[in-house]
Amino acid sequence: MDQASPILFARILEAIPAAPLLSAEFASRLQFGWTISVHILFASLSIGLAPFIVYFTWKDVRTDDPRYARLREFWVKLFGIGFVMGTVTGIPMSFQFGTNFPVFAEAAGEMIGGPLAFEAKMAFFLEAVFLGVLLFGRERVSDRTYILSSVLTGVGAWLSGFWILVVNAWMQTPRGFELVERNGMQIAQLTDPVAAFFTPRMPWMYVHMINASVISVTLLVAGVSAYFVWRKRNSEAWNTALRAAVVLLVITAPLQAVHGDAYGRHVADTQEQKFAAMEAHYDTGQADLHLIAIPKSADSLTDPRADNLWTISLPAMGSFLASGGDFSEEVVGLHEYDDNPPVALVFWSFRFMVGLGFLFIGLALWGGNLLRKGRLRESDRYLRSMILATPLGFAALLTGWYVTEIGRQPWVIQGVLKTNDAVSTTLTGAEATATLVAFVALYVVLLAAFGFAFKWLIEGELVRMGVREESDPDRPQLPLVSSDD
Amino acid sequence: MTSPLMLSTEQYLVPSLPTIWFGVVLFTLAMYVALDGFDFGIGMLYATRDEHDRETLLAAFGPVWDANEVWLVAFGTTLLAAFPPIYSRLLSEHYLLAIAIVMGLVFRGVSPELREQRDDDDWQRICDRLFVFGSTITPLLLGTLVGSWIFGTPALSAPSLLTGIGLVALSLASGAAFVAAKTRGSLAADMVRYGTASTLSYLGGVVVLLTVVLWTDPVGVRSLLLTPSAVAVVLGSVLLGVGGIVLARRGRHRLWFASTVGLSALLVALVARLLYPTIYPASGLTIEGAVVSPLALNLVTVLGLPVLVLVLWYFKFLYDVFAGPIDEQGAEGGY
């Protein structure tokens, strides 16, 4: 034993360098991907909730109808929690440009620094300051200022998205710069701010992303409202919220499909490689469109090619969509490139997103029809479907984001800088792996905590509606705004 | 040549524009140190309070902390917009420190928010501990990072760590002053005691730090410290610190808080003095060498600076709305 333990100790020490450390580059990419996947949920929650918050606040203040007070209180509370989550997960995003991708930050600093600074100064401050008023200031400001605060909070959220997407769109379709040598490296020097801010991708991305956020939150509001209505059919407040959500879904879900189709053509024009990855199109030439694709084996899941999939395909339809009407349009295939994005991730993410998009249109039409007949609250099947669909908007949004970001690889700035050249040269695999593990652990806890907070919010509302007993008798009664149920 | 926005691509709007932006970057840092500093201080003081006082502390910073924290983002993005190489180097060369700071901010940020979502003693205890932990560790690490920046020293070195400890003490002092200004009675009396101790610790820490730096002379800082302006800033800090203690004892709590804001401003002024005209002493990079091209800087000047003024204006609005002492007996912790 006395002799064995030093040997054992030495063996452990020997094993440590062999521990499965990721490379600095791969760990950095995973870390950025993971942290933005969590952050984007909260960022879109703010963007999507904004119109609901403004509407409920305005109705509450103007009509003094208690159901709007209740809806405002519930959703502003969720907005507040979501905003805190968005803030604390957003700060690491901007830091990581410097910590993990300093070459990118330095090379693109002139192009992205301005928009990111405008985001902080014009949008983030606006949202944070007026959310403070919205959350704590009902008794301290006039009605008009209170409504204005809700509007400015929403404007802050939407403007924030604008400047962030200015940056991202520039990375997809960079314009308005020239490459020059400075401090021993190639950097992008600004030559035309208008071209750099309003790149070809910018309007497409903004409309698609804002609408995706609104759809995601609309499904969330609809799902939560449907649950409350399902528990208590005559709840006026939650029937109102459900109706509002269904109306918004009827407008936004079809819009996303029509817009997405045109957006796809734009991607085909500006990022041929990404488009080819979305369609798993390998050989340059006429492209088919695989409507439904089922992998025949595990191999074809990770490497989707037409002959390895059971597909329902529309011949030449890929060409038709890419060109906007020409079946014989030649579409560039992935074989043209030495270095391709992980095709499977892009291909399946794209199908997942589009599939969900059509499901949302179905739910919108179904709900719109029930609403027209005035039978929304009676349809058990619809209420249950909406409850199940609660998180699906966010799932579609995330996979859509993967199509955009993973599909752009190997480039971090399309055609200008590759991701593996942008990574820090001083970062070690050990450091990057350690922080990756820490971020994964921390954000899993964060997501769980948010989930619990949301659950408690819902339970509190159930108690307030009188359909659930207060579980803890010592717990003070939540202050009732007033009771309409 | 002019671009479509009628901004010159050849020369800066005024020749000193790069230096002005050096000032803007440090102004955003000063705002962060002053405003989130008192949030951190409240978080540390939180550990010393009972349940009722804790609610009062949370009410004191609830409406403003989130907006205060945005000044860190303003600092980072302004640095990136004006001096991208500095942003890249500062963060990539202090990788673990930078990541630890953002994680500390996560603990500080979410714990008070989550705490309020459930009346459960165990749950609240966990949240409270994380809150105190995050509020203490973040200024410590942030100060360490700033120390490493200006002295070019590694994180685990006396100059860097002493800067971190100094920022913790300063945050504690401004937290105590803010709480005293927002409350009455026994809480305020306790705050004066904590404030006095932390201000003296801060001043003592600065003296020790400067002694160490004068002794070891990292990146040639000694000659910069022995200039009239640097000496004036240090003397000013001592006067303001002692003056703050006097104000605190006389019950002039709002003025006391103003003096701690002044201390934060002087600290950042010292940072500026020790950097200028270099901006990254470790590699000797100067403001002129790190600044973006004329067009890029002219653009952020025309679009960004007016907005910064607007931000200051609605910060004033926010603080006016929540001005005055907290109703310590009231529901929802005062608001």
Side-chain angles (χ1 to χ4, degrees):
Chain A
M1 185 65 197
D2 277 348
Q3 285 193 325
S5 30
I7 295 171
L8 185 67
F9 190 63
R11 287 215 175 128
I12 292 172
L13 277 183
E14 266 171 34
I16 287 173
L21 287 181
L22 304 173
S23 73
E25 183 210 340
F26 191 57
S28 293
R29 290 166 79 154
L30 280 185
Q31 179 173 304
F32 200 89
W34 164 247
T35 49
I36 202 162
S37 294
V38 175
H39 173 66
I40 206 169
L41 297 176
F42 297 115
S44 339
L45 181 68
S46 291
I47 291 173
L49 260 185
F52 287 98
I53 299 286
V54 171
Y55 178 67
F56 293 147
T57 305
W58 172 66
K59 290 294 267 188
D60 171 28
V61 174
R62 284 285 170 247
T63 66
D64 259 337
D65 186 333
R67 63 189 155 146
Y68 291 109
R70 172 169 282 187
L71 291 173
R72 170 180 70 78
E73 208 174 90
F74 184 92
W75 292 110
V76 166
K77 208 165 199 175
L78 186 73
F79 190 95
I81 305 170
F83 183 73
V84 168
M85 296 281 177
T87 307
V88 299
T89 57
I91 292 174
M93 299 317 309
S94 67
F95 267 58
Q96 282 178 95
F97 290 142
T99 51
N100 294 71
F101 301 97
V103 180
F104 165 70
E106 189 163 347
E110 282 205 29
M111 314 304 298
I112 67 168
L116 287 175
F118 299 151
E119 192 266 342
K121 294 188 182 107
M122 295 180 193
F124 202 177
F125 272 130
L126 195 69
E127 197 180 351
V129 165
F130 288 98
L131 181 62
V133 179
L134 200 60
L135 283 171
F136 300 98
R138 182 67 187 96
E139 308 302 324
R140 289 181 166 248
V141 297
S142 68
D143 283 359
R144 184 186 293 242
T145 309
Y146 195 71
I147 294 175
L148 186 67
S149 296
S150 77
V151 173
L152 290 176
T153 306
V155 168
W158 284 43
L159 204 54
S160 187
F162 172 81
W163 286 114
I164 295 300
L165 292 178
V166 162
V167 172
N168 196 277
W170 183 80
M171 291 158 69
Q172 310 281 347
T173 51
R175 297 285 189 281
F177 69 100
E178 62 185 3
L179 289 173
V180 298
E181 187 89 3
R182 197 182 301 162
N183 290 324
M185 65 178 289
Q186 283 249 310
I187 68 131
Q189 181 170 303
L190 183 67
T191 55
D192 183 350
V194 177
F197 289 178
F198 299 95
T199 54
R201 177 62 48 83
M202 176 55 213
W204 292 107
M205 210 173 213
Y206 191 67
V207 172
H208 207 66
M209 190 68 203
I210 292 280
N211 200 32
S213 304
V214 172
I215 291 172
S216 303
V217 172
T218 301
L219 284 162
L220 177 81
V221 172
V224 170
S225 308
Y227 176 69
F228 288 135
V229 170
W230 184 59
R231 295 293 297 267
K232 189 174 180 182
R233 298 293 158 141
N234 61 353
S235 164
E236 282 314 311
W238 292 104
N239 272 298
T240 303
L242 182 60
R243 281 197 300 271
V246 167
V247 168
L248 198 54
L249 195 63
V250 167
I251 300 167
T252 51
L255 174 71
Q256 193 74 337
V258 174
H259 180 265
D261 165 58
Y263 185 4
R265 269 196 296 284
H266 164 75
V267 171
D269 288 343
T270 50
Q271 287 178 306
E272 292 171 328
Q273 193 177 4
K274 180 191 282 182
F275 188 80
M278 283 157 62
E279 294 300 333
H281 179 63
Y282 286 85
D283 297 308
T284 300
Q286 196 183 53
D288 302 339
L289 178 72
H290 311 308
L291 281 182
I292 293 172
I294 299 160
K296 285 180 180 171
S297 67
D299 274 1
S300 46
L301 185 67
T302 54
D303 182 13
R305 288 166 199 249
D307 38 355
N308 294 328
L309 302 165
W310 281 296
T311 58
I312 298 177
S313 304
L314 299 175
M317 198 62 189
S319 294
F320 180 85
L321 286 178
S323 60
D326 180 3
F327 286 104
S328 58
E329 168 91 354
E330 187 171 90
V331 176
V332 175
L334 292 168
H335 285 321
E336 304 285 327
Y337 305 95
D338 296 331
D339 201 358
N340 274 314
V343 179
L345 273 175
V346 182
F347 179 81
W348 295 113
S349 292
F350 183 60
R351 266 144 198 79
F352 192 81
M353 173 192 75
V354 173
L356 284 179
F358 281 106
L359 175 71
F360 301 156
I361 295 176
L363 289 174
L365 296 180
W366 183 11
N369 194 36
L370 288 172
L371 184 66
R372 194 172 52 81
K373 294 181 188 160
R375 290 185 29 226
L376 204 52
R377 72 176 76 181
E378 293 157 27
S379 171
D380 247 5
R381 194 178 292 172
Y382 187 69
L383 294 181
R384 282 200 202 131
S385 303
M386 292 314 282
I387 294 169
L388 288 177
T390 306
L392 292 184
F394 288 100
L397 183 142
L398 264 185
T399 45
W401 192 247
Y402 294 154
V403 173
T404 305
E405 298 307 299
I406 300 173
R408 171 170 41 102
Q409 303 303 326
W411 300 101
V412 61
I413 306 168
Q414 179 77 45
V416 177
L417 182 68
K418 288 195 170 170
T419 313
N420 61 8
D421 294 326
V423 178
S424 171
T425 50
T426 55
L427 183 62
T428 65
E431 288 173 325
T433 309
T435 58
L436 170 65
V437 170
F439 267 121
V440 170
L442 182 62
Y443 280 19
V444 165
V445 173
L446 219 52
L447 286 173
F450 179 77
F452 277 114
F454 200 4
K455 180 168 162 271
W456 296 330
L457 198 58
I458 288 171
E459 286 171 356
E461 181 63 21
L462 287 175
V463 171
R464 222 154 68 154
M465 291 163 71
V467 295
R468 188 190 156 110
E469 289 290 314
E470 177 66 67
S471 53
D472 179 6
D474 294 336
R475 198 172 159 185
Q477 195 68 33
L478 287 164
L480 288 171
V481 172
S482 86
S483 178
D484 63 310
D485 302 314
Chain B
M1 195 185 127
T2 54
S3 80
L5 281 182
M6 307 300 288
L7 293 167
S8 171
T9 58
E10 305 293 320
Q11 52 191 337
Y12 296 106
L13 290 171
V14 290
S16 58
L17 201 60
T19 307
I20 292 173
W21 274 91
F22 174 72
V24 174
V25 167
L26 287 169
F27 170 74
T28 57
L29 181 63
M31 289 297 284
Y32 182 69
V33 169
L35 295 181
D36 218 15
F38 77 70
D39 298 332
F40 291 134
I42 290 174
M44 293 179 233
L45 289 163
Y46 194 83
T48 69
R49 301 287 98 190
D50 65 12
E51 178 56 29
H52 176 265
D53 284 356
R54 288 183 168 189
E55 294 285 342
T56 307
L57 293 198
L58 290 182
F61 94 149
V64 295
W65 77 267
D66 217 334
N68 293 344
E69 188 176 285
V70 179
W71 282 103
L72 181 65
V73 182
F75 165 69
T77 53
T78 307
L79 184 62
L80 175 63
F83 307 101
I86 309 310
Y87 183 83
S88 314
R89 282 166 213 208
L90 186 63
L91 292 176
S92 65
E93 291 175 10
H94 306 94
Y95 181 78
L96 293 176
L97 203 49
I99 298 287
I101 289 170
V102 296
M103 289 188 168
L105 284 171
V106 172
F107 291 124
R108 191 285 300 265
V110 300
S111 48
E113 183 75 27
L114 289 173
R115 174 192 208 274
E116 296 302 297
Q117 307 305 322
R118 192 167 180 80
D119 276 325
D120 176 276
D121 288 344
D122 289 337
W123 171 257
Q124 298 204 332
R125 199 171 309 124
I126 296 171
C127 290
D128 287 349
R129 281 185 187 155
L130 286 176
F131 180 49
V132 174
F133 171 75
S135 301
T136 314
I137 196 83
T138 310
L140 179 70
L141 296 170
L142 192 75
T144 306
L145 178 64
V146 172
S148 298
W149 177 16
I150 48 183
F151 302 123
T153 46
L156 291 175
S157 68
S160 300
L161 284 174
L162 280 168
T163 314
I165 292 167
L167 195 59
V168 170
L170 179 59
S171 302
L172 191 53
S174 36
F178 187 78
V179 173
K182 295 288 281 183
T183 54
R184 309 182 197 90
S186 64
L187 194 55
D190 276 0
M191 290 304 119
V192 171
R193 281 197 296 118
Y194 290 118
T196 306
S198 52
T199 305
L200 291 176
S201 313
Y202 171 67
L203 294 177
V206 170
V207 171
V208 175
L209 169 65
L210 294 181
T211 311
V212 169
V213 171
L214 282 173
W215 190 272
T216 56
D217 192 22
V219 289
V221 163
R222 187 186 292 155
S223 58
L224 289 170
L225 262 177
L226 296 175
T227 51
S229 52
V231 171
V233 169
V234 175
L235 286 181
S237 295
V238 173
L239 284 177
L240 208 54
V242 174
I245 292 173
V246 172
L247 288 167
R249 308 220 147 217
R250 289 189 182 166
R252 309 289 301 274
H253 295 152
R254 287 172 67 97
L255 275 179
W256 174 31
F257 176 66
S259 80
T260 64
V261 171
L263 278 181
S264 304
L266 285 181
L267 178 65
V268 176
L270 189 62
V271 169
R273 183 65 203 94
L274 296 184
L275 288 173
Y276 189 83
T278 40
I279 185 170
Y280 202 71
S283 59
L285 209 56
T286 60
I287 290 172
E288 299 296 331
V291 74
V292 292
S293 71
L295 176 62
L297 199 64
N298 292 344
L299 183 72
V300 289
T301 306
V302 172
L303 282 183
L305 276 192
V307 179
L308 200 58
V309 175
L310 187 67
V311 168
L312 290 174
W313 177 76
Y314 58 67
F315 253 76
K316 186 179 175 310
F317 167 78
L318 177 72
Y319 277 82
D320 284 347
V321 167
F322 296 102
I326 301 160
D327 172 12
E328 284 159 60
Q329 316 308 328
E332 287 183 39
Y335 290 117

